[in-house]
């Protein structure tokens, strides 16, 4: 089976690519998500959990901005220019992965005080939580399409595939 570029990126240069492109952003985003649940439940916006949440939010936003720029320059532009995409699932996997810049960048901008200034702390945390949810959605869609055979959505896989009947 052919891999999507998303899965190939994570599989090559072990363990470094897996750490750089998956583990670091996911661990930071999950730190934000888990601490967010505590904060929204307790409304303790001045304690150490909020400081951890803010640090992880800023760090993941800045970090993923670097990942985004790197992958646009070194993967998306060259693959598009050369016609190297392996099918719709390939494009969707990479596209949804890169769409993570919207919620992760938004979280960082919120935590840096660059957006949401007119809202109270609880109002900013509501936006924060929505952005965390959006990241979980795009990241999981990227993973689902990333694990598909990239030819599956083209009809090419079905033509040579085997039936279970």
């Amino acid at each position: 089976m052919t891999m999507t570029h998303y899965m190939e990126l994570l599989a090559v240069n072990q363990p470094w690519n897996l750490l750089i492109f998956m583990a670091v952003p996911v661990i930071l985003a999950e730190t934000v998500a888990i601490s967010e649940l505590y904060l929204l439940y307790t409304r303790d916006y001045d304690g150490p959990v909020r400081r951890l949440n803010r640090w992880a939010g800023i760090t993941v936003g800045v970090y993923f901005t670097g990942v985004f720029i790197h992958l646009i320059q070194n993967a998306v532009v060259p693959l598009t220019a050369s016609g190297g995409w392996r099918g719709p699932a390939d494009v969707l996997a990479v596209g949804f992965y890169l769409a993570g810049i919207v919620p992760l960048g938004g979280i960082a901008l919120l935590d840096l005080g660059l957006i949401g200034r007119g809202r109270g702390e609880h109002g900013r945390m509501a936006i924060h939580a929505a952005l965390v949810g959006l990241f979980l959605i795009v990241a999981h869609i990227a993973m689902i399409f990333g694990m598909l055979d990239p030819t599956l959505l083209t009809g090419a896989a079905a033509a040579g595939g085997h039936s279970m009947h």
Side-chain angles (χ1 to χ4, degrees):
M1 179 177 95
T2 306
M3 280 193 245
T4 59
H5 284 96
Y6 171 93
M7 196 56 67
E8 185 177 312
L9 174 70
L10 300 177
V12 299
N13 194 30
Q14 286 288 323
W16 305 114
N17 281 12
L18 187 62
L19 291 169
I20 292 165
F21 297 106
M22 180 61 72
V24 170
V26 168
I27 290 167
L28 288 168
E30 289 187 5
T31 299
V32 172
I34 292 165
S35 60
E36 198 97 357
L37 294 172
Y38 173 85
L39 293 168
L40 290 169
Y41 180 75
T42 66
R43 294 187 185 217
D44 179 12
Y45 300 128
D46 295 319
V49 175
R50 178 60 180 127
R51 285 190 295 278
L52 172 65
N53 177 271
R54 183 175 283 125
W55 173 85
I58 293 167
T59 303
V60 74
V62 171
Y63 182 87
F64 201 77
T65 298
V67 167
F68 178 86
I69 291 167
H70 172 78
L71 290 177
I72 290 291
Q73 291 175 341
N74 296 295
V76 173
V77 170
L79 286 171
T80 303
S82 70
W85 293 104
R86 296 175 180 149
D90 195 21
V91 175
L92 288 167
V94 173
F96 274 97
Y97 177 82
L98 292 173
I101 190 65
V102 173
L104 296 180
I107 288 168
L109 292 173
L110 204 54
D111 284 337
L112 288 167
L114 300 174
I115 61 172
R117 286 189 219 155
R119 295 180 171 264
E121 189 66 26
H122 193 68
R124 282 191 303 277
M125 289 307 292
I127 296 169
H128 211 266
L131 291 169
V132 168
L134 181 60
F135 172 72
L136 292 172
I137 291 167
V138 298
H140 284 93
I141 292 171
M143 284 187 251
I144 290 164
F145 282 107
M147 289 184 242
L148 283 177
D149 176 338
T151 63
L152 188 63
L153 300 179
T154 65
H162 298 287
S163 172
M164 291 182 59
H165 302 301

